[in-house]
Amino acid sequence: MTVSSEAVLLLSRLQGIEIPPEDVEDVRVALSAHLESVKVLEELDLTDVEPIVHFDPRWR
């Protein structure tokens, strides 16, 4: 999945962070690579896998 520079800027505004113009391309490339690596998980057959839910008691 390729992320556009416009999407990076929109996400940064939504999160209330400022990304300097000279860093937008680096963030775009990194975010695109991250999304591609997560995309591999969509190919896994998890039909017979039960979800594991574990909460740390400190999170209460």
Side-chain angles (χ1 to χ4, degrees), residues 9-59:
L9 294 172
L10 175 61
L11 289 170
S12 70
R13 282 194 302 271
L14 289 172
Q15 291 300 311
I17 59 174
E18 185 176 332
I19 299 175
E22 62 271 15
D23 292 339
V24 170
E25 180 63 14
D26 290 340
V27 172
R28 186 194 71 73
V29 169
L31 186 55
S32 294
H34 180 70
L35 290 174
E36 281 297 321
S37 66
V38 172
K39 187 177 178 183
V40 173
L41 298 176
E42 294 177 356
E43 298 172 12
L44 297 175
D45 179 11
L46 302 175
T47 306
D48 297 325
V49 177
E50 292 293 323
I52 297 174
V53 178
H54 175 77
F55 292 102
D56 189 314
R58 296 174 291 178
W59 296 348

